[in-house]
Amino acid sequence: QMFDGAAGFGLPSPERLLQIQEDQQHPPQEQQYYPAAEQQPGHFNGDLNTHRGHYYEDQNFYNEILSKMHGFGDGEVNGATDVGVSDAMASFGFNSFLFIFLMVTYEIVSRMVPSVYRSRKLHVSDDSKVVDIPHSILPLSWVPAVLETSWMTVRKCGGLDSYFFLRFIRMCFRITFVSGLWGMIVLWPVFATGNQGATGWYFFSMANIGNASWRLWFPTCFMILLTIYVLFVMNEEFRHYLDLRMQYLAEGDAAGELNPQAQHSLIVEELPRELRSDTALYEYFDKLFPGQVHSARVVLNIPDLEKVSAKRKRTARRLEKSIAYHEAAGIRGTHVVGTKRCTFLGIETFPIRSFKGKFVEHD
C-alpha cells in the first residue's frame, strides 16, 4: 500500500505505477528547494523530474512519521480492537464478587450495629413504624417484606425526599430495561444479518451493517421510539411530582403532620437598612397584612461578629474543660498562649507544650 498526502493510504492507480517505473529507470537527482518568494505565480523552477523528486521526498517523510505512530506500523492502519469475551466475563466476575462481598458485609454489620441501620426504631414514634420486617438468621430475609411494601407506605414512612429518590431509581430501571430488552429482540438480529464481516461484540452492532443499507432504518426508528418513550416516562414522573408537591403544600405530608409556619414562610432579601431588625420588619409586614403575620426574623451577614463569637465559645469550652479536669484530677489547668491544639473526632486536646508559649494559670 502507498500513502498519498491528500488521499491517505490506498492502492496505487495505473498512472502511478507507470510513474513509479519511470522514476526507477531514471531516478531523479537531489535538487535544492527554491524559496517561494523567487517563484512566480503559476510557474515553477526546475524541470518536471525535479519536482517529482521533491514530491516523493515528501511522501517518504510522511510515511516515516506515520510508521512511528501507534496503529500505523508497516504501512497500514490498524482499527480499534474489540473487547474479548474473556475480558467481559472477567469484568462480570469481578463485579459479581464485589456485589456478594457488599451484601455479606451489610448482613453482618446490620446485625452487629442495629442502631445505625435501624435507627428509626429509636427516633421515630410507633405510629410511623408501619412496616414490620421479620428478624431471621437467614440472609436476605428482609427482601420479601420490602418488595411487598406499597408506594403509599414508603411515602408515609420516609417522606417525599426518600419517596422520589426511589421513584427516580425505578424510572431509570424502566428506561434501561425497556431499551435493553427490545434492543436484543429487534436490533441484534438485524445487526447479526448485516454480513459485513464484523467479529466479536461488533457482530451485534451497527459496524456489521453496510453503508446505504435498508437495515439502517431499524436503529433509526428504534431511537425515535425510545426517545418518545423516555420523554413519556419523564413527563409522567414530573406530573406525579407536581401533584404530590401541591398536596404537600396544601395538606402536609402523608402522615398528617402540618407545620403552619413552615408552610407559609417566605424569604426576603436585600432589606433596606431601616428594616434590618426583627421588630421593624414585623411592623412593616403587619401594616401590609394586618393580623396575618406570624413572626419576622432577620438574618444578618456579620462575619466579623461571628468570628469573635466563635472565639468566645472556644475559650469558654476550654475553660470548662480545665475546670472539669481540675475537679476530676486535682491538677490546676494552664493555658499556653500562642500554641495550637489538635482536634480529633470533635475532641480537642490540651495545648502542645513542645512549642514555645506563655503559660497563664486559670484564676
Side-chain angles (χ1 to χ4, degrees):
Q1 290 182 338
M2 301 298 296
F3 178 82
D4 188 288
F9 289 103
L11 297 176
S13 61
E15 293 79 3
R16 293 273 293 167
L17 290 175
L18 294 176
Q19 202 174 59
I20 293 173
Q21 293 177 0
E22 181 181 353
D23 292 335
Q24 290 177 353
Q25 295 175 1
H26 305 283
Q29 299 180 357
E30 295 184 359
Q31 299 290 336
Q32 182 179 1
Y33 280 105
Y34 293 92
E38 299 179 3
Q39 300 182 11
Q40 300 178 358
H43 297 80
F44 58 90
N45 298 324
D47 55 3
L48 181 60
N49 290 332
T50 300
H51 282 271
R52 286 181 177 176
H54 296 333
Y55 175 79
Y56 287 115
E57 287 177 2
D58 293 339
Q59 305 311 308
N60 293 331
F61 176 72
Y62 295 148
N63 287 327
E64 182 180 357
I65 293 179
L66 291 176
S67 63
K68 297 178 181 180
M69 297 174 62
H70 177 71
F72 289 90
D74 301 329
E76 61 180 4
V77 180
N78 299 324
T81 57
D82 190 12
V83 179
V85 178
S86 59
D87 298 335
M89 294 304 297
S91 177
F92 177 77
F94 173 77
N95 286 278
S96 300
F97 170 77
L98 186 62
F99 170 75
I100 295 175
F101 173 76
L102 293 177
M103 294 302 300
V104 171
T105 304
Y106 170 77
E107 290 290 337
I108 296 176
V109 177
S110 61
R111 287 172 168 80
M112 295 176 59
V113 192
S115 60
V116 175
Y117 293 91
R118 300 175 183 177
S119 59
R120 290 183 60 88
K121 293 185 176 181
L122 302 177
H123 306 286
V124 180
S125 60
D126 295 336
D127 296 338
S128 301
K129 301 175 185 177
V130 296
V131 180
D132 185 15
I133 299 179
H135 298 279
S136 176
I137 59 174
L138 298 177
L140 304 179
S141 58
W142 48 270
V143 174
V146 172
L147 295 178
E148 295 175 357
T149 304
S150 63
W151 285 106
M152 184 62 186
T153 304
V154 173
R155 181 157 62 96
K156 182 179 181 181
C157 296
L160 285 180
D161 292 338
S162 302
Y163 175 77
F164 278 109
F165 177 71
L166 296 177
R167 295 272 302 191
F168 173 75
I169 298 177
R170 173 177 172 268
M171 181 188 69
C172 295
F173 173 76
R174 291 177 58 185
I175 294 174
T176 54
F177 178 78
V178 170
S179 60
L181 177 63
W182 287 103
M184 290 185 293
I185 295 176
V186 177
L187 296 183
W188 278 15
V190 174
F191 295 154
T193 56
N195 299 327
Q196 292 298 314
T199 59
W201 299 105
Y202 290 121
F203 182 75
F204 297 100
S205 67
M206 291 185 63
N208 200 31
I209 296 180
N211 296 332
S213 175
W214 59 269
R215 290 180 173 83
L216 293 175
W217 284 105
F218 283 87
T220 303
C221 297
F222 183 85
M223 183 55 64
I224 294 174
L225 296 177
L226 179 61
T227 303
I228 296 175
Y229 174 74
V230 171
L231 294 177
F232 170 77
V233 173
M234 294 180 62
N235 181 66
E236 291 297 317
E237 289 297 324
F238 280 125
R239 289 166 62 92
H240 183 60
Y241 168 78
L242 181 61
D243 294 339
L244 294 185
R245 179 62 178 171
M246 294 295 102
Q247 180 181 355
Y248 174 79
L249 293 177
E251 304 175 2
D253 55 10
E257 299 177 359
L258 182 62
N259 188 347
Q261 184 177 0
Q263 298 297 112
H264 301 87
S265 297
L266 299 176
I267 180 172
V268 182
E269 299 179 348
E270 302 295 337
L271 292 177
R273 185 175 297 272
E274 61 272 12
L275 295 180
R276 294 180 183 178
S277 66
D278 297 345
T279 304
L281 187 63
Y282 175 81
E283 292 177 354
Y284 175 80
F285 281 104
D286 189 64
K287 292 179 180 179
L288 297 178
F289 308 98
Q292 302 182 27
V293 180
H294 178 272
S295 59
R297 296 290 182 268
V298 178
V299 181
L300 300 178
N301 183 18
I302 41 179
D304 296 335
L305 181 59
E306 292 177 355
K307 184 183 299 185
V308 175
S309 177
K311 184 177 180 180
R312 177 185 178 277
K313 291 180 180 179
R314 182 170 63 251
T315 304
R317 184 178 66 249
R318 291 175 179 176
L319 178 60
E320 293 173 356
K321 183 176 182 180
S322 299
I323 295 174
Y325 184 75
H326 174 67
E327 295 291 338
I331 301 175
R332 191 174 182 82
T334 57
H335 175 61
V336 184
V337 180
T339 60
K340 301 294 183 180
R341 303 191 183 205
C342 296
T343 303
F344 180 72
L345 297 178
I347 302 175
E348 190 178 52
T349 63
F350 284 105
I352 303 177
R353 302 194 179 189
S354 59
F355 297 156
K356 293 182 179 180
K358 179 181 178 182
F359 285 80
V360 178
E361 293 187 355
H362 294 311
D363 193 357

